[in-house]
Amino acid sequence: MEPGLILVEGLPGLGKSTTAQAICIQLERSGVEATWYHEEEPDNPISLAGLHAEDDCAGFRGALQSRWEIFVRDATRSNGTVVLESRLLQNALAPQLRADTDQTALASSLQSIADTCVPLSPVLIYLEHTKYIQRLREICDLRGQNWKEHMVSRVEQGAFARSRHIDGFDALAQLMVATEDIQRRFLSDTTMPCIQVDTSRGDWPRVQSEI
């Protein structure tokens, strides 16, 4: 039985979009109807539009949970597989971590979303890197100064950076470390089938064959 939902997750810059697109193409070649939603796609079914964790993290979690419930309800009525990137363990986490939310409540929210997805027989693809902070510096160089300044600015404006008296790249790096810690705890606790793939060598044929 093909999964109704494939979640591609990991920290920024590890190849989630490349991987999600490759999975979708492979499914279609195998005769499976598949739809891939890029994380920034306007019609992404798990849109974060209008949600502001910095104002109300509990409200953010509640609204996000409702959007997942609607998505799962609609997806169970359709055929094929949906491939989503960054929607569970990146875009749901980042706004709340920047706001320095309670991590116990955050972890509970992630598990609640995972439980909601059960009717779709989800599979999680988690991309990881053994030296992520070094990789993050490379990503900043590759994506340019505007991208780096945007990422850093968002972190600096939040309670996470202010309460720790950190700024600049250090603030971004510390947020990524905290994000990875929560992601890994989720992976160790969840019953959702998960494939963890090391992308450190940048060997994409091997990565795709593992998946």
Side-chain angles (χ1 to χ4, degrees):
M1 179 180 176
E2 296 291 343
L5 175 63
I6 297 177
L7 299 165
V8 183
E9 297 290 343
L11 295 173
L14 295 185
K16 294 184 295 297
S17 296
T18 300
T19 301
Q21 184 179 34
I23 289 171
C24 187
I25 291 171
Q26 185 58 47
L27 286 170
E28 291 175 336
R29 286 175 177 170
S30 302
V32 177
E33 182 181 343
T35 304
W36 161 49
Y37 290 97
H38 187 276
E39 63 174 308
E40 297 179 2
E41 198 162 332
D43 63 346
N44 192 301
I46 309 296
S47 169
L48 299 185
L51 302 185
H52 304 287
E54 62 272 15
D55 299 328
D56 177 11
C57 280
F60 176 93
R61 289 190 292 271
L64 189 62
Q65 175 69 33
S66 295
R67 294 184 187 190
W68 275 98
E69 290 171 359
I70 293 169
F71 161 69
V72 171
R73 181 199 66 197
D74 293 343
T76 55
R77 298 171 180 171
S78 305
N79 296 320
T81 299
V82 176
V83 182
L84 292 178
E85 57 173 279
S86 305
R87 275 307 185 241
L88 177 61
L89 297 182
Q90 180 172 309
N91 292 349
L93 276 178
Q96 297 186 74
L97 280 176
R98 290 196 298 266
D100 213 18
T101 191
D102 176 73
Q103 294 196 12
T104 300
L106 201 163
S108 177
S109 172
L110 292 178
Q111 189 53 55
S112 179
I113 292 171
D115 292 342
T116 297
C117 293
V118 167
L120 296 177
S121 302
V123 172
L124 174 62
I125 310 295
Y126 184 74
L127 306 182
E128 52 195 359
H129 196 288
T130 56
K131 297 180 179 180
Y132 181 72
I133 300 305
Q134 176 182 317
R135 177 57 183 158
L136 181 59
R137 292 185 185 278
E138 295 171 353
I139 295 162
C140 288
D141 290 340
L142 288 169
R143 297 188 176 179
Q145 188 67 21
N146 287 343
W147 185 85
K148 178 181 177 180
E149 290 177 356
H150 171 68
M151 295 292 287
V152 167
S153 175
R154 290 200 299 176
V155 180
E156 288 179 335
Q157 292 171 21
F160 180 92
R162 294 198 305 270
S163 66
R164 292 163 177 78
H165 307 290
I166 52 178
D167 57 15
F169 181 83
D170 185 48
L172 177 60
Q174 288 196 37
L175 184 78
M176 291 300 105
V177 170
T179 301
E180 185 175 36
D181 180 61
I182 294 175
Q183 289 178 347
R184 291 192 178 280
R185 276 187 278 153
F186 174 84
L187 294 175
S188 68
D189 293 342
T190 188
T191 58
M192 183 183 295
C194 177
I195 301 171
Q196 293 178 242
V197 183
D198 182 5
T199 66
S200 302
R201 290 183 289 170
D203 183 0
W204 289 106
R206 176 193 58 81
V207 169
Q208 293 181 15
S209 68
E210 286 188 23
I211 294 171

